[in-house]
Amino acid sequence: MSQIQDYYAGKTLLITGATGLVGKVLVEKLLHELPQVRRIYVLIRPKTLPNGSELSPQERFAQEILASPAFERLRKRHGAGFDAFIQAKVTAVGGDLAEERLGLSGDVYRRLQQEVQVVINSAAVVSFDAPLDQALLMNTLGTRRVLAFVKGASDTFYAHISTCYVNGTREGPVPEEPFHPTLTVGQINGKRQAPFDVDHEIHAIQERVSAMRGRAHPASASATVPSARQNGSAKTTGEAAAQRLKGRLVREGFRWAQRRGWNDVYTFTKAMAEQVLVRHRGDTPVLVLRPSIIESALSEPEPGWLDGFRMLDPLIVAYGRERLPDFPGNPNGILDVVPVDVVVNALLAAIPWAHAKGGLQVCQVATGMENPLMLAQFAKLVQEHFRRRPLSGRTNRPLRLPDMSFPSTKSYLRRLYLRQGLPLAIGAALAKLIPSPARRRRALRILDVRRSALGRLAMYARLYGPYAEVRCQYLTHNLREVWDSLSPEEQAQFNFNMRSIDWPNYIQEVHIGGVRRFLLGLASDTADQPVRAEPISEERPAQPSRNGGNGQEGADESPAVDGGPSARVRDGSPLSTASATVSAPGAPAASMVATRRGAGLLLPAPEPEVDRWVHTSPMARLSQSLFRLWLDVSYHVYLGFRVSGLEHVPPKEPFIVVSNHTSHLDTCAILVALKRQNRDLHPLAAKDYFFKDGLVSWASHMFLNAVPFDRLTHVSESLGLAAGLLRRGHSVIFFPEGSRSVSGVMQPFRRGVGVLAVVSGVPVVPAYITGTYESMPKGRSWPRRSHVRIRFGPPIRCDQNLETEAASDVARQIMLRVQQAVASLSPAPTNVSPPTPRA
């Protein structure tokens, strides 16, 4: 065996943060390349949902980690033995870094201390604008608790994943040295500051937070106050006070960090975590691994793979959609990007190296010293890519992509206000003078959407601008020493050679290709052909797609240290879709809340386009009524149609009907079953099949009330139109398998149903149809007599807290819940292949 394989053979590891991007790739790499490990314990916190139900650590491990496309190659290797292999090698343990003893019972805590030889801490609150108390609790105090666990064990090694950006506002070469517990970045830069000591600083922050909580008194009142009503749901004074306190703690985190020389609370509390390790480790061997900006995989588990929007991705998409002509930054500065699999390879190779050296070792995983990528060079590569392969819009017109400029953050924000903020403010004042109430509401609604998008863009500039203006270079001499110590075979197996990264190929083909495929739902080999999803009865080969969508870790999770300005875009949204969607009068309150929080998962449809499909002429209404009367008679007489579970269909609010899909008869079966609700019920129909010419298009809308699902534009745009219909109080029919099953067996669902449920906030009604496959399977043009049955189940609502969980994670969970609900309605056991989240 190689020295890396020999080191890990027979060892037991404890990993925190396994639900994050780095954590998923780390667990997969260990199991794929180092199956000699004895066991891997992953520390996962149980999750209690607002409805009172709880996801156990084992359920979260299965749904959030094993269901990831990152494990696809491992599934292929082991085939039917995959589950047995996982059970033999991995154990999910319920725990929480925010609690003493990591939230473990005394017996489990001591048993793990006796078993574990290597601890890898990849958990953190990665939000730049997290409240000060939460960031301190997880990033700094959580690290101290993990260290206490390691010190209580015997001969255990501690690997701590930090970030290069703990170096804050430093300039020039930055060495791989630990942070002294009595120094701040401001003092390193030569500024005169008050004396600093990490333990005293932690105590001072805790006292400050306690004082702020004492003044807020968030629990002093619980009575409902009518004036606090917002979006149709009443808030208590306690909830309102808690929200105000949270906002103050966010601002206090920025103030405290910037006073000490850091940009934000994330890098500040991660730096203090390193200082805690330096002061309190004793003789424990420690590796501090500092990655820079982590982005998509270079080659493993698949080129371009990533599980959600990272720091650069919203900017890339916004520029490709002609929404971002400039952004604050230093064009001659280093944009230090590193692929996630390179980080994991470096970590696994550096642990044996650091353990052999002893003491505390620091390795910076960065590209700036050996293979620097300049910000201006990056922008040029992105521009060249989109000029060759534009992100076409609904009209498929080529986008105008100017050379990007890089003003300072202050100059950019000032220009943003003068060019967009001020005109919007003037427009809002003028809109209030419109005499027609309906037109006034519509104008104000459109302006509100644009103001929300502008506010989000300004927020990104304030958060990310400082990282694009860095004037330092992270040195990687220790990392080079680790690389040089490996054999050629190990270097091929655990590649982290920064000199080998071809930036034009990685940026233009691998990374943007991954953004197109895994985040936008587009085919990777064409400019404007999406990976198809969710239209009814589309005519295409029924083959699985492996698009991963926006599966990133939740904002309340400690899981995801990713080294770099993490980059969490809170809801996983690109800048081009960051606008908050405002509900029309009459839409349900839940819908209004959800559209604000999850709008970034899709591209909202323009209001005129929604109007086009919402408003139906009297002639069309009459035609639909007569056609559906004929369908009702035909289905009951010819197909022996029977319905059950109608009591589960909401009578007075919009909903999404989700069913298995084996025949063209499925759509009409749902329309017949829901004849009392089908006046405003729209099937989502493939545009290139049901709307391919004038006659078919006219018939599809005239008789079925169908709405096109445009597979020649982005999936997110098509979902945006469906969300617009739901916002107007209309309902939709959705087939998440992506195509009719050729075998009659239900196929894995795609993520779109979860996205639509999160964004709209309306209930999802599961249904299961039998008999249509026997009557008219795919390829048959006329139905044979059969017995068709449809059964509806209890509605599923998006009841997760979108203030604390990433909307993309919630979308994936909703998709899995809906798939299980549909399968459970089958009269016979339904085999569904393992759910691979797809766009």
Side-chain angles (χ1 to χ4, degrees):
M1 292 189 294
S2 68
Q3 58 178 326
I4 295 178
Q5 291 173 326
D6 183 63
Y7 176 84
Y8 289 100
K11 279 190 168 56
T12 298
L13 287 74
L14 174 65
I15 298 176
T16 69
T19 57
L21 176 69
V22 173
K24 290 173 185 173
V25 177
L26 173 61
V27 173
E28 195 275 343
K29 181 73 174 185
L30 281 166
L31 296 174
H32 192 269
E33 299 292 347
L34 299 170
Q36 304 91 348
V37 296
R38 177 179 174 272
R39 179 160 293 277
I40 300 172
Y41 289 102
V42 289
L43 191 72
I44 302 177
R45 181 176 59 186
K47 180 182 292 185
T48 301
L49 303 178
N51 63 4
S53 62
E54 183 175 274
L55 286 177
S56 68
Q58 293 74 24
E59 290 172 327
R60 293 195 63 194
F61 176 68
Q63 295 181 15
E64 300 179 23
I65 299 177
L66 291 185
S68 167
F71 286 79
E72 188 73 13
R73 66 171 183 168
L74 205 60
R75 287 183 181 276
K76 289 182 178 179
R77 169 184 283 187
H78 292 279
F82 175 78
D83 291 338
F85 173 73
I86 294 297
Q87 290 177 4
K89 290 295 181 181
V90 186
T91 300
V93 179
D96 191 344
L97 267 64
E99 299 179 9
E100 293 302 323
R101 290 204 313 265
L102 306 180
L104 303 171
S105 66
D107 292 341
V108 174
Y109 189 82
R110 287 187 292 272
R111 180 169 62 83
L112 288 179
Q113 283 184 318
Q114 294 171 0
E115 288 188 37
V116 171
Q117 287 97 39
V118 178
V119 174
I120 301 176
N121 182 19
S122 177
V125 170
V126 297
S127 217
F128 291 163
D129 57 347
L132 178 59
D133 57 338
Q134 292 181 14
L136 179 74
L137 182 65
M138 289 302 306
N139 296 349
T140 306
L141 300 182
T143 300
R144 191 161 70 183
R145 294 187 183 99
V146 176
L147 179 62
F149 171 88
V150 174
K151 292 177 69 175
S154 57
D155 192 27
T156 300
F157 184 82
Y158 181 19
H160 176 77
I161 301 182
S162 184
T163 169
C164 281
Y165 295 91
V166 296
N167 293 289
T169 56
R170 293 179 66 173
E171 298 183 4
V174 177
E176 295 165 291
E177 296 176 352
F179 251 104
H180 195 276
T182 61
L183 285 179
T184 67
V185 169
Q187 291 170 337
I188 294 174
N189 289 339
K191 295 182 179 179
R192 297 184 60 183
Q193 292 185 339
F196 175 89
D197 180 274
V198 64
D199 293 327
H200 295 163
E201 192 82 354
I202 292 172
H203 182 68
I205 293 174
Q206 290 174 323
E207 286 190 335
R208 174 62 177 159
V209 170
S210 297
M212 293 176 69
R213 286 176 175 163
R215 287 197 300 271
H217 296 295
S220 61
S222 59
T224 298
V225 179
S227 61
R229 291 181 181 272
Q230 187 178 44
N231 299 327
S233 59
K235 286 191 172 184
T236 65
T237 55
E239 291 173 334
Q243 285 298 109
R244 289 194 298 271
L245 175 61
K246 180 180 178 180
R248 287 196 290 269
L249 287 169
V250 169
R251 292 189 293 273
E252 184 67 12
F254 275 109
R255 186 191 68 82
W256 204 297
Q258 291 171 359
R259 185 184 65 181
R260 291 300 195 179
W262 283 273
N263 292 313
D264 49 65
V265 71
Y266 166 65
T267 52
F268 173 50
T269 52
K270 291 295 290 182
M272 286 199 296
E274 289 193 17
Q275 293 173 318
V276 165
L277 291 175
V278 171
R279 171 163 289 176
H280 298 289
R281 72 173 184 86
D283 58 356
T284 301
V286 174
L287 168 69
V288 174
L289 194 87
R290 295 176 181 166
S292 55
I293 301 173
I294 300 179
E295 284 292 347
S296 64
L298 180 63
S299 59
E300 298 176 309
E302 184 176 353
W305 180 79
L306 69 172
D307 67 348
F309 285 94
R310 316 299 296 171
M311 175 180 172
L312 299 178
D313 310 326
L315 311 181
I316 291 172
V317 174
Y319 179 78
R321 288 181 172 163
E322 204 180 7
R323 309 289 177 88
L324 192 71
D326 51 13
F327 196 77
N330 173 20
N332 298 317
I334 297 173
L335 184 65
D336 210 308
V337 176
V338 60
V340 62
D341 52 335
V342 170
V343 174
V344 169
N345 289 339
L347 171 66
L348 293 175
I351 287 175
W353 171 85
H355 201 168
K357 277 184 168 289
L360 188 149
Q361 304 297 326
V362 178
C363 283
Q364 293 180 158
V365 186
T367 56
M369 186 181 88
E370 297 188 345
N371 191 6
L373 172 68
M374 302 303 173
L375 180 59
Q377 178 189 1
F378 169 79
K380 192 67 176 176
L381 291 173
V382 172
Q383 181 190 61
E384 290 174 356
H385 172 90
F386 286 124
R387 283 182 173 174
R388 292 198 312 267
R389 298 173 56 198
L391 285 174
S392 56
R394 284 187 177 83
T395 61
N396 288 326
R397 68 175 179 83
L399 299 181
R400 298 182 298 274
L401 297 172
D403 293 335
M404 182 175 282
S405 61
F406 301 99
S408 67
T409 301
K410 289 183 178 180
S411 175
Y412 177 80
L413 291 173
R414 183 169 58 249
R415 185 187 307 177
L416 199 65
Y417 173 75
L418 293 175
R419 290 182 177 178
Q420 299 184 45
L422 184 59
L424 283 175
I426 295 173
L430 295 175
K432 294 177 181 178
L433 303 177
I434 298 175
S436 169
R439 293 183 177 180
R440 182 168 63 250
R441 284 195 301 268
R442 181 179 176 184
L444 290 174
R445 186 165 60 242
I446 294 173
L447 289 170
D448 187 47
V449 168
R450 294 179 179 175
R451 279 200 302 268
S452 298
L454 184 64
R456 184 68 64 90
L457 184 57
M459 180 196 71
Y460 284 138
R462 294 188 184 96
L463 290 179
Y464 295 162
Y467 293 91
E469 296 177 317
V470 293
R471 300 181 182 277
C472 65
Q473 181 185 55
Y474 303 114
L475 302 183
T476 53
H477 296 296
N478 287 346
L479 192 68
R480 174 52 53 178
E481 182 179 330
V482 177
W483 175 259
D484 291 339
S485 70
L486 303 181
S487 67
E489 293 76 18
E490 289 175 313
Q491 291 177 348
Q493 189 177 13
F494 300 91
N495 178 30
F496 56 95
N497 183 12
M498 306 303 175
R499 298 170 184 171
S500 67
I501 299 177
D502 179 357
W503 286 123
N505 178 71
Y506 175 73
I507 298 297
Q508 297 181 329
E509 304 303 326
V510 176
H511 181 64
I512 301 182
V515 170
R516 286 177 176 272
R517 183 177 179 191
F518 294 106
L519 302 186
L520 301 182
L522 298 174
S524 59
D525 57 343
T526 59
D528 58 0
Q529 180 182 353
V531 175
R532 298 166 180 172
E534 281 90 22
I536 63 170
S537 302
E538 65 273 31
E539 296 301 309
R540 69 178 181 89
Q543 56 187 8
S545 165
R546 295 174 59 196
N547 286 318
N550 308 347
Q552 61 197 28
E553 64 279 3
D556 66 332
E557 276 304 297
S558 25
V561 155
D562 41 52
S566 125
R568 157 164 327 280
V569 178
R570 277 183 171 266
D571 57 359
S573 60
L575 285 176
S576 58
T577 64
S579 59
T581 305
V582 181
S583 296
S591 175
M592 289 189 278
V593 176
T595 49
R596 279 192 177 88
R597 297 175 183 172
L601 295 176
L602 48 75
L603 186 62
E607 292 300 324
E609 184 171 352
V610 179
D611 291 338
R612 175 187 175 191
W613 301 104
V614 166
H615 298 144
T616 306
S617 67
M619 179 59 70
R621 289 289 189 191
L622 178 61
S623 300
Q624 290 169 14
S625 298
L626 294 175
F627 178 71
R628 291 178 184 183
L629 178 61
W630 176 80
L631 280 178
D632 185 67
V633 174
S634 300
Y635 267 65
H636 282 87
V637 173
Y638 189 74
L639 298 176
F641 188 60
R642 296 292 183 270
V643 184
S644 61
L646 281 175
E647 67 274 11
H648 297 304
V649 180
K652 296 182 179 180
E653 63 176 318
F655 52 85
I656 306 166
V657 182
V658 171
S659 171
N660 61 312
H661 194 28
T662 62
S663 169
H664 278 317
L665 298 176
D666 296 335
T667 302
C668 294
I670 296 174
L671 292 174
V672 171
L674 299 178
K675 52 188 174 185
R676 293 184 180 179
Q677 292 91 354
N678 66 19
R679 177 186 175 111
D680 294 324
L681 182 60
H682 303 272
L684 300 183
K687 182 176 180 180
D688 57 344
Y689 186 79
F690 289 95
F691 291 82
K692 60 185 177 182
D693 57 48
L695 180 60
V696 176
S697 174
W698 174 84
S700 297
H701 183 60
M702 177 65 71
F703 297 113
L704 295 176
N705 204 20
V707 171
F709 192 101
D710 193 347
R711 297 186 294 186
L712 298 180
T713 58
H714 311 306
V715 172
S716 61
E717 292 176 322
S718 301
L719 292 174
L721 176 57
L725 296 172
L726 293 165
R727 208 166 55 244
R728 299 292 188 89
H730 290 227
S731 302
V732 299
I733 298 174
F734 207 61
F735 294 111
E737 293 171 75
S739 67
R740 290 170 293 159
S741 172
V742 296
S743 64
V745 177
M746 195 172 82
Q747 304 300 307
F749 282 9
R750 298 185 177 183
R751 188 184 301 270
V753 62
V755 170
L756 195 55
V758 169
V759 172
S760 65
V762 304
V764 179
V765 179
Y768 196 90
I769 304 172
T770 57
T772 54
Y773 176 74
E774 291 76 12
S775 178
M776 198 173 79
K778 190 170 185 177
R780 184 178 176 86
S781 58
W782 187 258
R784 59 172 69 96
R785 293 184 71 93
S786 179
H787 295 283
V788 174
R789 304 287 186 267
I790 181 169
R791 181 184 177 191
F792 295 96
I796 296 172
R797 296 180 182 271
C798 178
D799 48 15
Q800 282 90 333
N801 186 351
L802 295 179
E803 291 290 351
T804 58
E805 297 186 63
S808 54
D809 284 343
V810 176
R812 179 174 57 187
Q813 295 166 22
I814 293 291
M815 178 271 293
L816 292 171
R817 289 172 58 193
V818 172
Q819 176 174 286
Q820 293 167 0
V822 172
S824 69
L825 296 173
S826 170
T830 300
N831 296 321
V832 183
S833 56
T836 301
R838 296 178 289 180

